[in-house]
């Protein structure tokens, strides 16, 4: 079967005055539908750069990114935004919730962009909050929730639009190890249940254990790819 995501020889060079920073040197990888792939590497190794390019948030200096047959590196801003809204969910290290919005309003946001009407949005968002264990928290604002609860809201928001692919950049980076495990297990169970392709970026080996494949990245290149047969797939 053809890979859902094909990354071909991508390179990203940032020019900072006189200095050229090679954030990604030459990275190629195919990712199958429903696969959970973890990018593991120390800070500065190029993980976020990789993720941002595959998600169409940045253009590579060289190379191709083809998702479901669409060469997303060639799309203009408007089309890439539409592509993201339709196909992609994001989970961030610092949650990126809107502080003045309640949990249900935060989860509803992707549906507003899709033009779903209010009543349906509220139903879908509250169902998704319940699915991540937050029934009863609909009207809490981010400041009234713990870090783990805020990240569950982040997961619900990523899932609510029924994306084909989720990108998670250090999703447990701000959480203690116990909460981190809870959050990762909720994320994994939802991803498996809906056969979503997950690209997960972390510096934490314990988090990488949940993936089907672990791609170790160092200085902008893939150092190794390990099939994780004992993935803690929930
Ligand atoms: P990681 O997510 O693995 O910590 P990044 O992908 O953020 O690493 O960064 C890889 C390298 O590229 C680092 O040296 C970083 O300083 C550099 N870099 C990232 N983004 C930019 C940018 N917008 N401008 C200049 N350099 C950048
Ligand atoms: Mg990063």
């Amino acid at each position: 079967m053809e890979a859902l995501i094909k990354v071909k020889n991508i390179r990203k060079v940032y020019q900072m005055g006189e200095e050229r920073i090679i954030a990604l040197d030459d990275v190629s990888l195919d990712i199958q539908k429903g696969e959970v792939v973890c990018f593991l590497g120390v800070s500065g190794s190029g993980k976020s750069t990789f993720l941002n390019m595959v998600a169409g948030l940045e253009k590579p200096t060289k190379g191709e990114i083809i998702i479901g047959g669409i060469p997303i590196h060639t799309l203009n801003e408007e089309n890439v935004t539409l592509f993201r809204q339709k196909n992609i969910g994001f989970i961030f290290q610092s949650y990126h919730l809107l502080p003045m919005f309640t949990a249900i309003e935060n989860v509803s946001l992707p549906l507003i962009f899709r033009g779903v009407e209010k009543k349906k949005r509220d139903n879908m968002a509250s169902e998704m909050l319940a699915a991540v264990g937050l029934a009863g928290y609909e009207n809490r604002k981010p400041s009234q929730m713990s870090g783990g609860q805020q990240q569950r809201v982040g997961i619900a928001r990523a899932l609510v639009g029924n994306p084909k692919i989720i990108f998670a950049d250090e999703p447990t980076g701000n959480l203690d190890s116990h909460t981190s495990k809870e959050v990762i297990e909720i994320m994994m169970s939802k991803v498996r249940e809906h056969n979503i392709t997950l690209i997960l970026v972390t510096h934490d080996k314990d988090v990488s254990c949940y993936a089907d494949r672990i791609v170790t990245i160092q200085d902008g290149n893939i150092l190794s790819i390990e099939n994780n047969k004992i993935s803690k797939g929930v």
Side-chain angles (χ1 to χ4, degrees), residues 16-31:
M16 300 271 286
E18 296 282 273
E19 201 188 351
R20 283 171 81 241
I21 298 163
I22 302 171
L24 275 186
D25 181 19
D26 180 1
V27 171
S28 298
L29 187 75
D30 282 358
I31 296 171

Side-chain angles (χ1 to χ4, degrees), residues 1-224:
M1 208 174 69
E2 212 185 17
L4 175 64
I5 302 173
K6 289 168 161 295
V7 175
K8 294 185 193 168
N9 303 105
I10 55 169
R11 179 175 175 83
K12 181 70 177 181
V13 180
Y14 292 109
Q15 189 78 43
M16 300 271 286
E18 296 282 273
E19 201 188 351
R20 283 171 81 241
I21 298 163
I22 302 171
L24 275 186
D25 181 19
D26 180 1
V27 171
S28 298
L29 187 75
D30 282 358
I31 296 171
Q32 306 299 322
K33 181 171 173 15
E35 205 182 0
V36 175
V37 179
C38 178
F39 281 77
L40 181 66
V42 297
S43 173
S45 55
K47 305 182 299 294
S48 295
T49 304
F50 175 84
L51 194 141
N52 290 344
M53 284 193 293
V54 180
L57 295 166
E58 279 184 75
K59 295 256 188 264
T61 309
K62 267 191 197 158
E64 295 176 23
I65 299 141
I66 296 157
I67 303 182
I70 299 171
I72 60 145
H73 59 289
T74 66
L75 299 181
N76 65 23
E77 195 74 25
E78 188 187 347
N79 286 330
V80 85
T81 303
L82 287 171
F83 180 85
R84 269 202 305 276
Q85 284 172 4
K86 188 156 175 266
N87 297 292
I88 291 176
F90 288 95
I91 301 170
F92 304 95
Q93 174 169 358
S94 49
Y95 326 128
H96 286 205
L97 303 179
L98 295 179
M100 302 306 289
F101 281 29
T102 61
I104 196 166
E105 288 167 344
N106 268 288
V107 175
S108 299
L109 269 182
L111 301 175
I112 295 183
F113 293 125
R114 286 193 188 185
V116 179
E117 52 114 5
K118 169 105 172 57
K119 193 156 192 272
K120 188 157 183 220
R121 275 198 320 256
D122 286 351
N123 283 338
M124 289 167 80
S126 71
E127 241 172 63
M128 209 40 85
L129 280 170
V132 297
L134 287 180
Y137 287 75
E138 291 80 3
N139 295 319
R140 298 262 191 125
K141 295 209 169 131
S143 62
Q144 299 166 324
M145 289 184 282
S146 69
Q149 289 165 343
Q150 289 182 62
Q151 192 58 302
R152 289 196 218 185
V153 175
I155 293 170
R157 179 187 53 192
L159 290 164
V160 78
N162 197 20
K164 293 186 181 67
I165 305 166
I166 289 182
F167 292 96
D169 195 347
E170 302 273 8
T172 60
N174 288 7
L175 304 174
D176 63 66
S177 61
H178 174 76
T179 310
S180 170
K181 188 168 184 287
E182 273 177 13
V183 162
I184 205 92
E185 292 191 350
I186 283 179
M187 182 175 79
M188 286 301 299
S189 78
K190 295 294 142 200
V191 158
R192 298 297 192 200
E193 183 183 333
H194 300 286
N195 197 28
I196 295 169
T197 306
L198 173 66
I199 300 184
L200 172 65
V201 158
T202 186
H203 65 276
D204 183 347
K205 274 215 163 79
D206 289 344
V207 170
S208 74
C209 296
Y210 289 86
D212 301 318
R213 267 196 300 168
I214 301 169
V215 178
T216 302
I217 181 160
Q218 185 184 311
D219 297 332
N221 282 303
I222 292 176
L223 189 68
S224 64

